[in-house]
Amino acid sequence: MLTRIDHIGIACFDLDATVEFYRATYGFEVFHTEVNEEQGVREAMLRINGTDDGGASWIQLLEPTREDSTVAKWLARNGEGVHHIAFGTDDVDGAAETIGGRGVRVLYDEPRRGSMGSRITFLHPKDCHGVLTELVTSATSAPEGESGGH
């Protein structure tokens, strides 16, 4: 059902400065950037490595674009740092249904668009030992004609 750690989402106040830190300190380069208007974030995806299932593992840096976004509210409460962990799956709908059937609240009725054309949903952190958890089907593993994001 879950095939890998897809990414670790890190909330930051200044995306450009945080990207520069990860580049200068670890040698990670930006693979993709985008603004997700629905989620109110500007993001950068830094590819860490490939995985056995053909996917990849990423660091996702998130800067809020508006004060009412979930990431902005989280930053106001917690400051910069790890915001969520995302697990990759080839079937986000099925994984959400299975995990929801085990008593974990799924935050979206239907998966939404995420980074790089992926499909995503989130699991309630109170049901996951305090960890906001995302389920991701990458665009490359999504059924034909479907798209979404991180």
Side-chain angles (χ1 to χ4, degrees):
M1 176 174 61
L2 303 178
T3 59
R4 69 185 179 285
I5 295 174
D6 184 85
H7 67 273
I8 305 296
I10 299 173
C12 61
F13 292 111
D14 183 334
L15 185 67
D16 296 328
T18 307
V19 162
E20 179 55 25
F21 169 81
Y22 278 86
R23 189 201 60 71
T25 305
Y26 305 116
F28 298 153
E29 296 294 335
V30 173
F31 179 84
H32 175 82
T33 60
E34 71 180 80
V35 174
N36 185 319
E37 295 294 344
E38 179 184 11
Q39 295 179 21
V41 295
R42 184 170 75 110
E43 65 179 79
M45 297 296 287
L46 290 70
R47 187 173 190 273
I48 307 306
N49 66 321
T51 61
D52 291 344
D53 66 358
S57 293
W58 310 86
I59 296 291
Q60 178 187 44
L61 303 176
L62 301 159
E63 175 191 68
T65 58
R66 58 179 198 265
E67 291 181 21
D68 68 338
S69 74
T70 302
V71 171
K73 293 174 186 175
W74 189 90
L75 276 167
R77 282 190 313 273
N78 302 295
E80 293 184 308
V82 175
H83 179 261
H84 66 274
I85 185 169
F87 294 110
T89 177
D90 61 0
D91 180 9
V92 70
D93 299 275
E97 183 177 340
T98 298
I99 293 169
R102 295 176 180 158
V104 175
R105 288 174 281 177
V106 178
L107 298 182
Y108 302 153
D109 291 333
E110 295 291 326
R112 296 182 182 178
R113 181 197 173 285
S115 300
M116 301 185 295
S118 65
R119 297 181 72 238
I120 65 166
T121 195
F122 285 90
L123 307 176
H124 201 292
K126 289 185 179 177
D127 298 343
C128 299
H129 297 271
V131 178
L132 179 61
T133 303
E134 182 178 4
L135 304 177
V136 178
T137 297
S138 300
T140 55
S141 60
E144 202 165 318
E146 294 184 4
S147 65
H150 299 119

